[in-house]
Amino acid sequence: MRFFDAAATREALPFDRLVPALRTVFTSGCDARPRQGHEIVSPGGGRLTSLIMPAWLAGRYYGIKIINIAPGNAARGLPGLRATCCTMRSPACRWR
């Protein structure tokens, strides 16, 4: 499995290529289910919203994006949004 920081992601996916590629995939038959949202409240009153968004190209790729939104992080000097995307080759579910 490979992890990409922000700089490596920008280098691998420059916007001039990324945006047209995403447009093509989402307009040519990518399967995607409605996102699931979960509200998580901690005992101290903090809140977190977690969004789970799966999508796939049947027989080719499966991906799931997880986004966590923590509005209270701003007061801590931390980012309020964190996201992860896992992509696998299907049907064997090998990491891409």
Side-chain angles (χ1 to χ4, degrees):
M1 182 179 349
R2 293 180 288 184
F3 291 92
F4 295 90
D5 63 13
T9 300
R10 276 191 295 276
E11 184 178 323
L13 299 169
F15 280 106
D16 63 330
R17 291 189 354 230
L18 174 64
V19 173
L22 288 173
R23 185 175 292 117
T24 298
V25 168
F26 285 114
T27 59
S28 67
C30 174
D31 290 306
R33 298 295 182 253
R35 71 176 183 224
Q36 295 179 24
H38 303 277
E39 293 290 326
I40 301 160
V41 180
S42 71
R47 289 185 33 229
L48 169 75
T49 300
S50 187
L51 305 175
I52 302 168
M53 297 177 269
W56 59 91
L57 291 171
R60 294 182 60 201
Y61 298 106
Y62 172 77
I64 187 160
K65 181 170 32 173
I66 303 166
I67 300 174
N68 293 317
I69 304 161
N73 276 0
R76 297 180 188 97
L78 298 170
L81 185 143
R82 302 247 185 204
T84 301
C85 183
C86 297
T87 305
M88 294 172 236
R89 293 183 180 158
S90 67
C93 287
R94 293 177 299 171
W95 293 111
R96 170 106 164 82

